[in-house]
Amino acid sequence: MKILVVDDEKDVKTLFEQRFRKEIRSKTVDFVFAFSGKEALAYIDKLDHEAILILSDINMPGMSGLELLKEIKEKELTPKPIVMMISAYGDEQNYNTAKSLGADAFLTKPVDFKLLKEKLQLN
Amino acid sequence: MKSEKDQLLQKAQEEILRIFTSEYPSEKMPDFISKEVSGFGTTKDERIKGFKNFREVLELQYQQSKEAGIEVSYKKKPFKYWKDESGDLALLVNEFDLFVKNPEGTDKLDFRLSSLFQWIDDSWKLIHWHGSTPVNVVRDAWHLTEWQKKNKELQEKVEEQTKDLTLKNYQLQKAKEQIEEALRELKEAQEQLIQSEKMASLGELTAGIAHEIQNPLNFVNNFSEVNTELLDELKEEIETGNIEEVNALVKDIIENEEKINFHGKRADAIVKGMLEHSRSSNGQKVPTDINSLADEYLRLSYHGLRAKDKTFNATLETDFDQNLPIINVVSQDIGRVILNLITNAFHSIRDRKNNLNGSEFNPTVKISTKNFEEYVEIIVSDNGNGIPESIQQKIFQPFFTTKPTGQGTGLGLSLSYDIIRSHGGKIQVESGVGSGADFKLIIPKN
């Protein structure tokens, strides 16, 4: 499974690589990291009908996660990418907006990796 | 009273009585009244000098008697008289009962009249008279009772007025105390409001900053959890003797620890910055590097705003005059002013960005400093919506705000104005609708 992680915090990459090291080693998942919405879109545009799961933070400078979500949904890609949004604790407003924009799942920070792994396996 | 002269004297006296008690034709008065007549009256304590005066007084008396409806009659009593050697001067003294009839009844008075007649041109003429009614008080030769009565009345009046004044004074005193109390309460309320504005601005920062601290704390927690797992793996690999894997794990663990340290320090810095801002200023002026102060608060403000709204993006520009000297200011207060201006600038550009919705607008906030001989100048500029001229002076007034209700206390610029003024400086705004705003601070170097 290809997973695109979008977050402006650079250490998110290290964290994911550490937390998913077994899965990465066993090639169950293949992580790609983008540090802005723009970067993420550039990567998505280069995809050639590949299944992808996008895990994006909402609060980012420049293009927000919600704007990215909107753009992705408008692209009408095949296969349809699964988009999961990560937001800050207690942010109901963004949760509602993400839902209305068609987000497939929702996570709050701090990310519960156990829960995330469960969600990924269910998909 | 047997001779003709004596009879004429008697007649003259009777005519005089009639003159005094009833309406007497004034053209006939000179027959019995001398041109130089003088007299002391009892009706109004009148002093008469000369016939003209005499006639005026009597005519007034006649008029007033008529108006009051008074009729006077008298009952004669035998009179005394003295004549001098020449026989041409006679003093007559009369006592008689005077009956004064008025609409309410008749009053009886004892009347005394002393008249001095002189034989002039073959007739007796009155040259001086004195009329009186006795004061009806026993043992009061000098009218003391009357004086005392008047005095008492005066005293009572004074007492009453004094009482009245004392009461009014007391009431004024009470009113004064109430006003002073109200003033105290107002001052307290003002202090509280200023404090709540400070808390509000601090609150805005802390909300954003608390938000911001979540990120580094997440890393601290996550990386330490990861390291716990890695250490378990390490134990296994050591037992297995897989040196390569051991080394790889150790490397990762160390890196993670470094990240924990890094993010922990990051959180620490954020908290310190926030505490710095919240510390009560003691009003002490300290040597301050304005350039670093401005830079610090620019980042602090941007930081805080982004923490609340990460979609917010702006270009920050700085243009610091490297020749700016260290000046003595209350650094927390000046920092607060800069923070206020920057926050306002950020809000303005965010509003404009939201209105323009995706077009080519590059929101920018710029801080510049410039060194002048007598003062330093700090300018905070933005390319937001601008401030209409009509409200450019109002913005410094307490409670004036263009934000919706509940957002902002409206005291930010007013407090900033006070702070700059207390440093002997000025705060100015240059702006136009659609062309952003420049807020200029001028702080004397002293």
Side-chain angles (χ1 to χ4, degrees):
Chain A
M1 182 193 291
K2 200 161 217 162
I3 303 179
L4 170 63
V5 180
V6 192
D7 196 312
D8 61 304
E9 290 268 14
K10 302 272 193 314
D11 278 340
V12 163
K13 178 168 183 282
T14 317
L15 186 61
F16 268 77
E17 284 172 347
Q18 295 276 347
R19 289 244 115 164
F20 282 90
R21 68 192 174 286
K22 291 205 169 104
E23 289 82 356
I24 292 170
R25 221 180 291 168
S26 65
K27 299 219 186 340
T28 322
V29 282
D30 175 19
F31 278 104
V32 181
F33 295 92
F35 300 105
S36 72
K38 240 174 148 180
E39 250 185 74
L41 279 175
Y43 180 81
I44 290 165
D45 284 339
K46 289 203 207 101
L47 285 176
D48 185 19
H49 299 283
E50 233 179 299
I52 187 159
L53 185 138
I54 300 165
L55 204 57
S56 176
D57 189 15
I58 288 182
N59 293 328
M60 292 187 293
M63 186 190 289
S64 78
L66 293 172
E67 283 167 341
L68 176 63
L69 171 63
K70 195 161 170 247
E71 298 263 343
I72 292 168
K73 290 292 174 182
E74 276 171 11
K75 277 192 191 292
E76 296 188 353
L77 301 156
T78 43
K80 261 179 36 184
I82 299 166
V83 189
M84 292 188 185
M85 307 305 294
I86 305 175
S87 80
Y89 175 79
D91 196 348
E92 248 190 74
Q93 198 182 353
N94 279 337
Y95 173 84
N96 293 329
T97 314
K99 255 202 142 169
S100 69
L101 286 170
D104 296 292
F106 209 78
L107 293 150
T108 51
K109 281 180 177 173
V111 169
D112 183 336
F113 280 88
K114 248 193 183 163
L115 184 64
L116 174 61
K117 285 182 186 178
E118 278 172 26
K119 278 197 196 280
L120 292 174
Q121 265 153 26
L122 286 169
N123 289 320
Chain B
M1 311 268 287
K2 278 171 184 121
S3 71
E4 198 190 317
K5 213 169 169 187
D6 285 345
Q7 282 174 13
L8 282 171
L9 182 61
Q10 193 173 343
K11 169 108 172 93
Q13 173 69 318
E14 276 164 19
E15 291 302 293
I16 293 303
L17 282 175
R18 282 179 60 208
I19 288 172
F20 280 137
T21 58
S22 60
E23 207 165 330
Y24 195 93
S26 53
E27 63 272 14
K28 281 189 82 184
M29 283 185 198
D31 295 348
F32 303 101
I33 311 286
S34 138
K35 256 201 268 184
E36 279 87 34
V37 69
S38 63
F40 297 138
T42 189
T43 314
K44 290 190 298 295
D45 294 323
E46 56 270 33
R47 270 184 236 141
I48 306 287
K49 228 176 164 193
F51 175 71
K52 196 168 168 220
N53 192 197
F54 180 87
R55 190 180 60 194
E56 274 166 9
V57 170
L58 276 171
E59 278 174 356
L60 185 61
Q61 184 184 294
Y62 298 154
Q63 190 192 336
Q64 287 177 344
S65 305
K66 240 198 208 157
E67 282 168 8
I70 287 172
E71 267 173 43
V72 181
S73 53
Y74 60 89
K75 187 172 157 194
K76 259 195 316 193
K77 288 181 185 168
F79 60 85
K80 267 203 217 156
Y81 77 101
W82 297 266
K83 279 208 285 207
D84 82 331
E85 283 163 9
S86 69
D88 288 341
L89 212 57
L91 175 66
L92 278 73
V93 173
N94 284 109
E95 278 182 278
F96 43 95
D97 294 333
L98 210 62
F99 299 100
V100 181
K101 188 175 167 198
N102 63 68
E104 281 158 33
T106 304
D107 216 358
K108 182 176 153 225
L109 289 174
D110 289 334
F111 188 63
R112 293 155 191 177
L113 182 65
S114 307
S115 346
L116 184 67
F117 286 89
Q118 192 174 33
W119 183 253
I120 303 167
D121 296 335
D122 300 327
S123 63
W124 288 102
K125 297 223 181 357
L126 183 71
I127 56 170
H128 181 81
W129 56 272
H130 187 158
S132 67
T133 52
V135 175
N136 230 346
V137 180
V138 177
R139 307 172 74 86
D140 192 5
W142 298 106
H143 296 220
L144 283 172
T145 312
E146 201 165 303
W147 176 82
Q148 276 168 354
K149 186 171 157 213
K150 278 206 176 108
N151 210 38
K152 189 168 176 226
E153 278 171 15
L154 206 66
Q155 253 185 346
E156 280 170 4
K157 240 190 192 162
V158 168
E159 258 173 37
E160 210 175 291
Q161 282 180 344
T162 307
K163 245 204 252 171
D164 196 38
L165 276 170
T166 308
L167 178 66
K168 286 203 166 89
N169 200 39
Y170 172 75
Q171 287 169 342
L172 271 169
Q173 189 63 27
K174 279 278 152 207
K176 179 174 169 240
E177 282 169 18
Q178 280 174 347
I179 289 171
E180 280 172 352
E181 180 63 31
L183 187 65
R184 264 196 296 273
E185 284 175 12
L186 266 170
K187 279 192 176 150
E188 250 181 63
Q190 188 183 45
E191 283 302 321
Q192 281 177 0
L193 274 165
I194 290 173
Q195 192 56 27
S196 78
E197 157 65 18
K198 288 184 182 167
M199 283 297 117
S201 84
L202 176 65
E204 278 190 24
L205 268 176
T206 53
I209 287 165
H211 198 106
E212 186 73 354
I213 288 174
Q214 272 188 337
N215 274 354
L217 278 181
N218 284 342
F219 285 122
V220 166
N221 287 334
N222 275 306
F223 281 121
S224 61
E225 266 175 38
V226 166
N227 270 6
T228 309
E229 288 174 13
L230 290 179
L231 285 164
D232 281 336
E233 271 187 47
L234 183 67
K235 265 198 329 204
E236 284 169 21
E237 298 299 337
I238 289 169
E239 273 161 26
T240 327
N242 191 343
I243 298 296
E244 222 184 287
E245 196 54 37
V246 165
N247 286 335
L249 281 166
V250 166
K251 184 168 171 284
D252 281 347
I253 291 166
I254 291 171
E255 265 180 35
N256 290 346
E257 286 298 322
E258 281 167 1
K259 293 216 187 286
I260 291 167
N261 202 324
F262 173 77
H263 289 290
K265 283 192 172 133
R266 195 178 140 196
D268 189 42
I270 292 167
V271 169
K272 276 204 167 64
M274 180 186 85
L275 285 172
E276 188 63 42
H277 180 74
S278 76
R279 229 176 45 209
S280 294
S281 163
N282 58 7
Q284 289 269 55
K285 285 191 180 171
V286 293
T288 306
D289 179 346
I290 296 289
N291 286 343
S292 0
L293 188 76
D295 198 44
E296 182 194 334
Y297 277 89
L298 176 64
R299 309 226 170 266
L300 199 65
S301 171
Y302 187 52
H303 198 71
L305 267 162
R306 260 187 25 124
K308 277 201 290 186
D309 176 10
K310 271 211 185 159
T311 64
F312 174 67
N313 203 17
T315 306
L316 302 184
E317 284 178 16
T318 59
D319 178 13
F320 296 130
D321 186 340
Q322 294 310 312
N323 296 322
L324 210 73
I326 308 284
I327 60 171
N328 286 328
V329 293
V330 183
S331 62
Q332 247 135 353
D333 286 352
I334 299 295
R336 185 171 278 125
V337 173
I338 294 174
L339 184 65
N340 174 238
L341 295 181
I342 294 169
T343 308
N344 289 348
F346 281 143
H347 285 143
S348 176
I349 59 178
R350 185 182 58 185
D351 285 347
R352 190 166 186 190
K353 183 171 184 214
N354 289 341
N355 291 344
L356 293 177
N357 215 2
S359 64
E360 292 291 312
F361 173 57
N362 180 22
T364 309
V365 169
K366 179 178 174 186
I367 291 198
S368 57
T369 59
K370 203 157 178 207
N371 184 36
F372 289 88
E373 203 183 311
E374 305 278 309
Y375 59 91
V376 309
E377 184 188 82
I378 305 166
I379 302 182
V380 176
S381 319
D382 67 76
N383 60 352
N385 286 324
I387 302 164
E389 216 179 296
S390 56
I391 63 166
Q392 274 176 28
Q393 283 320 301
K394 290 189 189 167
I395 57 178
F396 295 105
Q397 287 169 9
F399 306 112
F400 182 87
T401 180
T402 54
K403 295 195 182 106
T405 317
Q407 286 184 39
T409 59
L411 285 175
L413 274 174
S414 146
L415 277 171
S416 297
Y417 181 86
D418 286 343
I419 289 169
I420 298 298
R421 282 294 303 273
S422 73
H423 279 80
K426 284 190 246 181
I427 180 169
Q428 295 166 345
V429 59
E430 251 180 59
S431 177
V433 174
S435 57
D438 289 345
F439 278 84
K440 191 188 280 188
L441 300 174
I442 292 168
I443 303 172
K445 288 180 185 175
N446 292 331

